[in-house]
Amino acid sequence: MAGRRLQYQQRILLCFILVSVWEASSGQIHYVIPEEMEKGSFVGDIAKDLALNIKDLPSSGVQIISRGMNQYFDLDLRNGHLIVNEVIDREQICHQMQKCLLNFEILVKDKMKFFTIEVEITDINDNSPSFPVEELEFKIAETTGPGARYLLPEAQDPDLGTNSLQSYHLSKNKHFSLDVQTGVDGIKYAELVLETLLDREEQKMYQLILTAADKGDPIRSGTVQIRVAVTDVNDNAPVFSKSLYEASVMENIPKGSQVLTVNATDVDEGINSKIKYLFRKSSDKTSKIFHLDSSTGQISVIGNLDFEDSKLHEMEVQAQDGAGLSTRAKVVIRIMDANDNAPEITITPLFSKVLESSPPGSVVALININDRDDGRNGEVICSIPATLPFLLRKSFDNYYNLETDQGLDREKVSEYNITITVMDQGTPSLSATAYFPLEILDENDNPPIFKTTDLTFQIAENNQRGDLILTLKANDPDFEENGRIMYSIIDTNIGDALLSSYLSINSETGDVYALSSFDYEEFREIKFQVKAQDGGAPPLSSNVSVTLLILDQNDNAPQILYPSNPTDGSTGVELAPHSSEPGYLVTKVVAVDADSGQNAWLSYQLLKATEPGLFTIGLHTGEIRTARFFLDKDALKQSLVVLVKDNGQPPLSASVTVTVVLADSIPDILTDLSSVSATADPVSDLTFYLVVAVAFVSCLFFTFLLVLLAIRLHRWRTSQLCDSQSVNFSGVPVSQFVGIDGVRAFLHSYCHNGSLTTCSRKSQILFPIGSCTSTLVPQQTSDKSGVLGKVLMWVVAEDDLSVPAHSWLDFKPGCETWMVLVSLVDD
């Protein structure tokens, strides 16, 4: 049997696969295929019928969308053929419907088009007629006359047309015949007709076979055995109160509820009047839903009613008395729809990510709503939250387009989870909710932004190279590369140099570093621009103006402009008349400081004066004025050491020596100076003696060195140590020493230890005999010292004549040239 069915299906596939394709004005494509086709069987050439390029099918986003049913069909993207995805049983899907149609849509994403596909499933003879029972028994009285009729059970064949039930046949016998009639609904009914009288004594039981057959290819048939028992007389059959019983029930009626009651009567008496009710004709599905009480005729619900599955149930009820006589009536039960199906939402995403620059009206998803209920119960309202920048636009039937309603901004909302709510119009209303996540892709639509367009920073001068000066920060709300900021300094000139030689910026962090040490006295501020540029395509940028203020530090000592230090060894002289009154302006010390602010605030003070209390100097003006009248005992030549100090931290200073001559005119100056030493302060006549003493001691010391040197040379020659260290004598340097008389003296380079105090009247100068020359080794030292008497001495380096010695001066061993100023102090 299975082999014949397979051959039949193959014959159908080869000979009957008529695929009638037509395209209506609505764009609907219609295919016709037989049922029971194997999986993978060809249905239609979708690519050809929809004018699609086969090569572009994998990338064009072609998709089959089914409406709440199994996926019976699939699309082969390799050739564009519509194929069977699941074996289709027409009787299971469409039951007894004359035309079985399966509808679905094909979405072509790149064209943004829907195409409705309608596949008609034709019937094949895959079901044999079958009777509800395998064996049937009649009891016929022997007195029953010819012509008596007995209703036979109806055979069921779910196929249609010629494939359905077409004829009944009765096995050959001499007492019974078969009468087949066709009702108003086109259904054939068979009745068993008694042709001759039965004799119970001759034969008590008759065995008959009733055959039901269709006219399909091949012909299929079913049989039922009929047993006829010959009994005594029963001459009245039951009669129903009406031939058609009708009822309407809600599909959500509870199980066990009564639907209707059929009623039949029999005028016979006794056992012949006892009626039994049974379903004569009903489908398997109906028999599982309804129950007929054989005694009372009450029909009740035992299964689930579903309006969406079947809107109408028809059945025949047979009433049979105890003797076997029966009658029939038709029962029609209509199912009324209840709002028991919530809407179903099917979302077909076109994009899971969209650019934030997508224009309004861009379709991001297709939404299909399906409600299996009928009437208002199946009418739906689809909505999304009004606060979202999206809208639902109905395209056709129950399809909606989810579109952008306004511009998107990823910097405000980077991702949406769109809630789609569907509500039907039934009572009570049912609803369904679905969620569609949508990510917003970033575009470079935001340039980097600084908090302000002008920034001011400060840095102290004399900074170190490589110091971090400032940090700039811009903000870009874009994502990843579009939000990655690179910083750069817009190069310009600062004077004759490029800005890039002074400043450098870290392109990633915005840190600005100094490439050189800044000098406030060179420039007091640097103005430049920093550019912040993102990594988008095309890149966006913005600039910020930066002013870098250089703060002054006290790094410049005061510079004395007047009086200037002489370069020829002479001494500048200021004139003060003998008759000057207190407060007389002798001269003014003029000094400047390259720093600014308090670092340039200068103050003046007298560090040393020949006659203390004779002159005063303005603290902030530098004016040297007389403090009292001149006296005869006052020295004609006054030396004033003026200290100029700034107000910085720490303070820096400079000093200058001002020589003031007490005279009324220039000729008087020449006369008075002829008897005065030019290098020492004319304090008293002791100065002359002090100078003579120093000169004498120096000569002795010099003579001692010459003698010592001669002895060393003599010993060296006598030892004939030719390979010993040689003696090099360099010329005696001449130190420019200006004494009172302007006489130049020689200061030699030698090693000495000396200590003096400025307060002792018995200061001593020790001159140990020694040599600094590496080739001369002292043979003997002298412990003799000469007492010079009451002296006051200043010992200063040759290159600094303005630093006085304080307390004890300790001369460490070394080869240096020193200037010693000696003044005799009067007792």
Side-chain angles (χ1 to χ4, degrees):
M1 190 72 178
R4 291 180 58 192
R5 182 173 180 178
L6 180 59
Q7 292 177 0
Y8 178 72
Q9 290 180 354
Q10 292 176 348
R11 200 180 327 163
I12 290 294
L13 292 175
L14 295 175
C15 305
F16 182 67
I17 198 167
L18 73 101
V19 183
S20 135
V21 182
W22 57 276
E23 188 168 353
S25 58
S26 63
Q28 187 180 71
I29 297 178
H30 184 83
Y31 296 105
V32 178
I33 63 170
E35 64 173 329
E36 301 292 343
M37 293 180 68
E38 294 182 354
K39 184 176 180 179
S41 300
F42 174 80
V43 176
D45 194 343
I46 289 292
K48 178 180 178 182
D49 297 334
L50 298 183
L52 300 176
N53 191 342
I54 297 178
K55 296 181 180 179
D56 297 336
L57 284 180
S59 60
S60 60
V62 180
Q63 181 179 353
I64 293 179
I65 302 176
S66 301
R67 296 185 180 181
M69 64 177 184
N70 295 337
Q71 189 77 25
Y72 290 111
F73 303 99
D74 196 7
L75 183 62
D76 191 342
L77 298 179
R78 296 172 298 178
N79 49 30
H81 291 171
L82 184 67
I83 59 176
V84 175
N85 187 50
E86 184 178 331
V87 176
I88 301 173
D89 187 351
R90 182 190 179 281
E91 289 75 31
Q92 182 181 358
I93 297 174
C94 301
H95 305 292
Q96 293 298 313
M97 295 176 61
Q98 291 295 322
K99 198 169 187 179
C100 184
L101 299 176
L102 295 180
N103 295 292
F104 57 91
E105 285 78 29
I106 289 185
L107 168 65
V108 183
K109 288 186 179 180
D110 61 349
K111 294 185 178 181
M112 295 300 294
K113 288 184 179 180
F114 273 102
F115 297 94
T116 301
I117 309 299
E118 183 179 77
V119 180
E120 181 179 351
I121 309 301
T122 60
D123 183 51
I124 64 173
N125 193 23
D126 57 340
N127 293 283
S128 301
S130 61
F131 290 94
V133 293
E134 296 181 357
E135 189 174 302
L136 185 62
E137 182 177 356
F138 290 100
K139 294 180 180 180
I140 302 176
E142 59 181 344
T143 58
T144 303
R149 292 177 175 269
Y150 300 90
L151 188 62
L152 298 175
E154 181 184 351
Q156 301 291 329
D157 191 339
D159 293 327
L160 295 178
T162 58
N163 296 327
S164 64
L165 177 64
Q166 297 294 320
S167 62
Y168 290 96
H169 302 281
L170 188 64
S171 60
K172 189 175 180 181
N173 66 90
K174 63 179 181 179
H175 294 286
F176 299 94
S177 65
L178 188 66
D179 184 16
V180 179
Q181 298 180 5
T182 302
V184 294
D185 53 1
I187 298 177
K188 292 179 171 21
Y189 301 95
E191 291 181 331
L192 185 65
V193 181
L194 181 61
E195 295 291 341
T196 61
L197 290 174
L198 299 177
D199 188 353
R200 184 175 183 277
E201 290 71 26
E202 179 182 349
Q203 186 175 351
K204 296 180 180 180
M205 186 71 67
Y206 293 90
Q207 297 286 343
L208 304 175
I209 296 178
L210 178 64
T211 302
D214 59 24
K215 290 186 178 181
D217 186 12
I219 296 175
R220 293 177 177 273
S221 62
T223 60
V224 62
Q225 288 189 355
I226 301 174
R227 290 193 306 168
V228 179
V230 181
T231 63
D232 289 333
V233 177
N234 180 25
D235 54 351
N236 290 290
V239 178
F240 279 101
S241 59
K242 52 185 178 181
S243 61
L244 176 63
Y245 292 88
E246 294 181 297
S248 297
V249 295
M250 296 295 295
E251 63 174 327
N252 57 355
I253 187 174
K255 293 181 180 180
S257 300
Q258 181 180 346
V259 178
L260 57 85
T261 301
V262 296
N263 183 40
T265 58
D266 193 327
V267 296
D268 290 328
E269 295 180 354
I271 193 172
N272 293 329
S273 64
K274 188 176 181 180
I275 300 175
K276 180 181 179 181
Y277 299 95
L278 57 100
F279 283 126
R280 179 179 180 274
K281 175 187 177 184
S282 64
S283 64
D284 292 339
K285 188 175 184 180
T286 302
S287 62
K288 293 178 181 179
I289 297 176
F290 299 100
H291 171 69
L292 176 61
D293 191 311
S294 61
S295 300
T296 63
Q298 185 181 82
I299 299 177
S300 58
V301 178
I302 61 173
N304 295 321
L305 296 176
D306 191 352
F307 172 85
E308 291 73 33
D309 186 26
S310 179
K311 300 178 177 63
L312 181 71
H313 292 276
E314 294 182 356
M315 61 201 80
E316 283 190 358
V317 177
Q318 178 177 330
Q320 182 176 333
D321 61 18
L325 296 180
S326 62
T327 185
R328 61 186 175 87
K330 186 175 184 180
V331 178
V332 176
I333 301 176
R334 292 181 175 84
I335 309 302
M336 299 176 63
D337 183 42
N339 192 26
D340 60 341
N341 290 283
E344 298 175 355
I345 304 174
T346 303
I347 300 177
T348 304
L350 299 181
F351 306 100
S352 60
K353 302 177 182 179
V354 295
L355 290 171
E356 60 177 327
S357 61
S358 300
S362 301
V363 181
V364 297
L366 300 174
I367 300 173
N368 174 241
I369 310 300
N370 182 37
D371 194 322
R372 299 177 61 197
D373 292 325
D374 193 34
R376 287 187 60 82
N377 294 333
E379 296 178 2
V380 296
I381 297 176
C382 187
S383 64
I384 60 175
T387 57
L388 298 180
F390 301 94
L391 60 84
L392 287 174
R393 191 185 305 277
K394 190 170 185 178
S395 55
F396 71 94
D397 201 3
N398 285 329
Y399 279 91
Y400 295 84
N401 291 342
L402 180 60
E403 303 176 356
T404 56
D405 184 36
Q406 52 187 271
L408 304 176
D409 191 349
R410 192 207 66 85
E411 287 68 42
K412 293 181 178 179
V413 181
S414 61
E415 186 176 13
Y416 291 93
N417 194 18
I418 304 172
T419 303
I420 302 165
T421 303
V422 180
M423 181 178 298
D424 62 25
Q425 300 299 301
T427 304
S429 178
L430 299 179
S431 63
T433 302
Y435 300 94
F436 176 58
L438 183 64
E439 182 180 350
I440 309 302
L441 296 179
D442 183 51
E443 283 204 352
N444 194 25
D445 55 347
N446 292 284
I449 298 297
F450 292 95
K451 291 183 178 180
T452 180
T453 57
D454 295 286
L455 296 172
T456 301
F457 296 89
Q458 296 178 343
I459 184 175
E461 65 173 332
N462 302 320
N463 58 285
Q464 297 294 323
R465 293 184 61 185
D467 283 352
L468 175 63
I469 300 176
L470 55 97
T471 299
L472 298 175
K473 187 66 177 178
N475 182 47
D476 193 328
D478 290 326
F479 188 59
E480 291 183 345
E481 284 299 313
N482 295 332
R484 186 173 60 87
I485 301 176
M486 302 294 289
Y487 299 91
S488 61
I489 296 178
I490 300 177
D491 209 359
T492 183
N493 288 339
I494 299 181
D496 297 333
L498 291 175
L499 177 63
S500 58
S501 63
Y502 291 96
L503 298 174
S504 173
I505 189 170
N506 187 313
S507 61
E508 294 183 356
T509 63
D511 294 337
V512 179
Y513 297 91
L515 296 181
S516 62
S517 180
F518 300 132
D519 189 354
Y520 175 83
E521 290 70 39
E522 182 180 357
F523 45 78
R524 301 190 175 186
E525 66 178 15
I526 300 176
K527 291 186 176 182
F528 59 95
Q529 284 191 327
V530 174
K531 177 181 179 182
Q533 179 174 295
D534 59 30
L540 301 178
S541 62
S542 61
N543 298 339
V544 61
S545 298
V546 181
T547 301
L548 182 61
L549 301 178
I550 311 300
L551 301 181
D552 183 46
Q553 285 189 327
N554 192 28
D555 59 340
N556 291 280
Q559 182 179 0
I560 299 175
L561 302 180
Y562 184 84
S564 58
N565 290 324
T567 59
D568 58 354
S570 62
T571 303
V573 176
E574 298 291 342
L575 183 65
H578 287 283
S579 60
S580 298
E581 296 182 352
Y584 174 77
L585 177 62
V586 178
T587 185
K588 181 177 182 179
V589 177
V590 180
V592 295
D593 195 317
D595 295 324
S596 65
Q598 68 177 7
N599 294 329
W601 296 349
L602 301 180
S603 60
Y604 303 84
Q605 66 182 69
L606 280 176
L607 189 64
K608 189 189 88 171
T610 304
E611 292 287 346
L614 181 57
F615 297 96
T616 62
I617 188 168
L619 180 62
H620 299 296
T621 62
E623 296 177 348
I624 299 177
R625 298 177 181 271
T626 58
R628 60 177 174 81
F629 289 102
F630 293 130
L631 303 178
D632 293 338
K633 67 176 183 177
D634 293 334
L636 297 178
K637 186 177 182 182
Q638 299 284 333
S639 291
L640 307 177
V641 178
V642 179
L643 179 68
V644 183
K645 182 172 63 174
D646 60 27
N647 198 38
Q649 292 297 329
L652 300 178
S653 63
S655 63
V656 65
T657 300
V658 179
T659 302
V660 180
V661 177
L662 305 181
D664 293 329
S665 62
I666 298 299
D668 295 338
I669 295 175
L670 298 176
T671 303
D672 295 339
L673 291 180
S674 61
S675 60
V676 180
S677 175
T679 60
D681 294 331
V683 179
S684 65
D685 293 339
L686 291 177
T687 303
F688 174 75
Y689 296 108
L690 180 59
V691 171
V692 173
V694 170
F696 178 74
V697 172
S698 299
C699 290
L700 288 178
F701 181 70
F702 182 72
T703 303
F704 173 74
L705 291 179
L706 292 178
V707 173
L708 180 62
L709 180 61
I711 294 173
R712 293 292 294 174
L713 289 175
H714 175 71
R715 290 180 178 179
W716 175 75
R717 288 178 181 177
T718 56
S719 63
Q720 295 182 0
L721 298 176
C722 299
D723 54 348
S724 63
Q725 297 176 346
S726 61
V727 180
N728 291 325
F729 293 95
S730 58
V732 178
V734 179
S735 298
Q736 295 184 0
F737 173 80
V738 180
I740 298 177
D741 298 325
V743 180
R744 296 179 179 272
F746 293 102
L747 292 178
H748 303 281
S749 296
Y750 57 90
C751 294
H752 58 273
N753 290 321
S755 59
L756 301 90
T757 176
T758 57
C759 300
S760 177
R761 291 180 177 267
K762 297 179 181 181
S763 299
Q764 296 180 352
I765 301 179
L766 300 176
F767 295 95
I769 299 174
S771 175
C772 292
T773 308
S774 61
T775 58
L776 298 178
V777 179
Q779 297 296 320
Q780 57 182 341
T781 58
S782 174
D783 56 355
K784 297 180 179 181
S785 60
V787 179
L788 297 182
K790 306 172 186 177
V791 296
L792 179 64
M793 301 181 62
W794 286 269
V795 182
V796 297
E798 186 181 19
D799 56 352
D800 189 355
L801 300 180
S802 63
V803 181
H806 297 283
S807 187
W808 290 92
L809 300 180
D810 188 9
F811 294 83
K812 302 284 178 74
C815 298
E816 298 178 356
T817 301
W818 297 84
M819 177 184 292
V820 180
L821 302 181
V822 182
S823 296
L824 297 178
V825 181
D826 192 4
D827 289 335

